[in-house]
Amino acid sequence: MSPHTSSVDRAAEVVPFFDGARLTLARQLAGLRKSDLAALIGKSPTAVAAWESGAKRPTAATVAQLALSLLVDPGFFAIRPQNVAEQSTTPHFRSLRATSQLARDQAYAYGQLAVDIAASLERHVEFPNPDVPRFPVSPDDRDGDGPERAAQLVRKEWGLEYGPVGHLVRLLENHGVLVVFSPPQTAAVDAYSFDSRLRPVVVLNPIKRDYYRQRFDVAHELGHLVMHGDAEPGGRIVEDQAHRFAAELLMPADQIRDLLPARMGGNVWQTLARLKEQWGVSIQALLYRARWLGRLGDVSYRNAMATISARGWRRSEPGLVTAIEQPSLLPRAVELLQQEGIDESDLIAQCRVPPNLFRVVTSRTPQDDALPSADTPPSPRSRSRVVSLLEGRTDDRSQPGD
């Protein structure tokens, strides 16, 4: 498809290959309901539903209109080798009540887009094969030691049998897990994960820029991938199991129990600070682990947490490491391909995704705004600003506080 052809001409080329699943993905990326999209293009929600289901095919003019409204090139709607949504498990979000379905759909769509981009890049580079151990743990197993045994299995199979875990994001990538940051507009949805069957995916929150908390998030999501392939997401028990998995993975009971304080007093805070840096976990996680393993009683734990609160450490603990762990699988692939003469613009054209979203997915660090918020439909002015961002242009009328 030539970049010099008009939008309508490109849309006409797409019509025979139009994939309703791609329309669903684009709509969810934009944070829109079917009725919202229908209103934007002057069509009925029934028509949008028919296009998405494949019952009907839109005309070239409508495809061009859909592309303009959803801020994508018409080629975005062309069928792909794999339908990522069809081959993916239900994502594990932390709390199904904390965010709207629209926001979760938008976040999940972004994760699917990341898989789609990775699959396109894999035509040029070789990524590690997925190698995530499976140890199903039922939500009915409330009191069993399934999460701990699952974490022990991972440590054994990944060669982590003794000592702290190093760069956790790099570890997951080396075993075929795709790790990316989501755009800030989806930050209302915490870190989440799903198995795309092309490769497992962990999407990290772009705002939580804390090294210690990020590592626990990554371990938590790995727990879902290992234990909960068939479990209903979002339940308290499932989330508790993922927390227990993360605690055992990062702080194995048989290795850390005797290092944890048995009482609060003396130089205990210095001890906790040293353990924090050694094991790469927060002081709060260490305290909770000490209570879970029976080293600290409930009263001592509550008093310690009261001290944490009084010192303002609930959200911002002191720590030596200020830079969060960065993904490198996709960023390094893009860098290598550029060294071989394959320009970023060629990769974007091949993926047929908005340039700014490509850069967010393939970035080592969280990026600036790239998507409209799912909970707040964009105004005409904000939509024009998003168009500028996606096309790599700057709108001089936009103020820093917008």
Side-chain angles (χ1 to χ4, degrees):
M1 188 179 298
S2 169
H4 302 294
T5 57
S6 71
S7 177
V8 175
D9 289 339
R10 295 199 301 275
E13 295 176 18
V14 167
V15 168
F17 308 100
F18 185 87
D19 183 1
R22 299 294 295 181
L23 174 57
T24 302
L25 182 64
R27 174 178 60 78
Q28 292 176 338
L29 280 170
L32 299 175
R33 300 175 180 85
K34 292 176 186 176
S35 57
D36 298 328
L37 178 57
L40 277 176
I41 64 173
K43 305 290 184 180
S44 70
T46 303
V48 173
W51 299 330
E52 292 191 4
S53 69
K56 292 185 178 180
R57 187 179 295 167
T59 64
T62 301
V63 170
Q65 199 174 11
L66 287 168
L68 182 64
S69 299
L70 295 173
L71 310 177
V72 297
D73 185 90
F76 185 92
F77 301 122
I79 196 166
R80 295 297 198 275
Q82 298 97 4
N83 182 338
V84 176
E86 195 175 77
Q87 300 180 50
S88 299
T89 59
T90 305
H92 282 276
F93 295 113
R94 296 295 174 86
S95 173
L96 300 183
R97 291 174 295 183
T99 53
S100 69
Q101 183 64 51
L102 198 63
R104 294 198 301 272
D105 286 345
Q106 185 182 34
Y108 184 32
Y110 173 80
Q112 294 175 57
L113 187 75
V115 174
D116 194 47
I117 290 173
S120 292
L121 293 179
E122 279 197 272
R123 296 174 184 176
H124 306 287
V125 295
E126 184 176 349
F127 291 154
N129 290 326
D131 177 29
V132 176
R134 305 296 175 178
F135 191 99
V137 177
S138 170
D140 295 332
D141 183 17
R142 298 181 181 221
D143 302 318
D145 62 352
E148 287 75 21
R149 288 192 292 136
Q152 291 159 11
L153 173 67
V154 171
R155 289 185 68 97
K156 179 178 180 180
E157 294 203 0
W158 285 5
L160 308 169
E161 294 186 62
Y162 187 80
V165 179
H167 197 301
L168 193 56
V169 168
R170 194 71 42 78
L171 179 68
L172 265 66
E173 290 183 319
N174 287 341
H175 290 276
V177 180
L178 179 62
V179 183
V180 297
F181 287 105
S182 69
Q185 289 83 353
T186 63
V189 177
D190 209 339
Y192 68 96
S193 56
F194 63 95
D195 191 347
S196 71
R197 293 193 174 88
L198 295 175
R199 62 182 55 252
V201 183
V202 170
V203 182
L204 299 177
N205 189 292
I207 292 178
K208 193 186 292 185
R209 303 189 185 192
D210 181 290
Y211 169 81
Y212 308 91
R213 294 173 67 200
Q214 180 208 44
R215 281 168 54 82
F216 202 91
D217 280 352
V218 174
H220 176 106
E221 297 308 325
L222 176 61
H224 284 313
L225 294 173
V226 172
M227 300 185 295
H228 298 141
D230 299 319
E232 187 70 24
R236 182 182 62 81
I237 295 173
V238 167
E239 290 303 304
D240 285 347
Q241 288 175 340
H243 267 64
R244 287 169 54 189
F245 173 96
E248 179 67 21
L249 183 77
L250 297 175
M251 300 169 283
D254 63 345
Q255 298 180 37
I256 204 169
R257 179 184 285 107
D258 293 342
L259 304 177
L260 293 169
R263 59 184 179 82
M264 300 304 296
N267 296 325
V268 69
W269 292 104
Q270 288 88 337
T271 298
L272 288 168
R274 188 176 299 110
L275 290 173
K276 172 177 181 168
E277 307 304 340
Q278 181 182 0
W279 293 86
V281 295
S282 69
I283 289 176
Q284 293 171 76
L286 288 164
L287 287 169
Y288 190 88
R289 191 68 168 150
R291 184 180 69 161
W292 178 266
L293 295 176
R295 292 286 288 175
L296 278 183
D298 288 345
V299 173
S300 294
Y301 173 77
R302 284 196 298 270
N303 290 339
M305 292 305 295
T307 301
I308 290 279
S309 295
R311 293 179 177 180
W313 291 355
R314 281 280 190 175
R315 284 289 177 185
S316 182
E317 284 186 11
L320 297 180
V321 186
T322 56
I324 56 177
E325 292 185 354
Q326 300 178 359
S328 63
L329 192 68
L330 297 188
R332 184 59 181 153
V334 172
E335 291 167 3
L336 288 172
L337 291 174
Q338 288 177 327
Q339 291 171 11
E340 294 179 4
I342 301 178
D343 193 69
E344 181 189 67
S345 60
D346 296 329
L347 297 173
I348 292 171
Q350 177 183 303
C351 294
R352 294 183 179 178
V353 298
N356 199 58
L357 283 182
F358 179 88
R359 294 182 185 113
V360 172
V361 170
T362 59
S363 174
R364 296 180 187 274
T365 57
Q367 297 292 290
D368 295 330
D369 292 359
L371 289 173
S373 168
D375 289 323
T376 307
S379 66
R381 183 182 178 209
S382 66
R383 284 189 69 84
S384 69
R385 183 164 183 261
V386 173
V387 170
S388 299
L389 285 166
L390 293 176
E391 294 179 351
R393 295 185 280 108
T394 302
D395 186 344
D396 292 335
R397 295 170 298 173
S398 299
Q399 299 300 313
D402 284 353

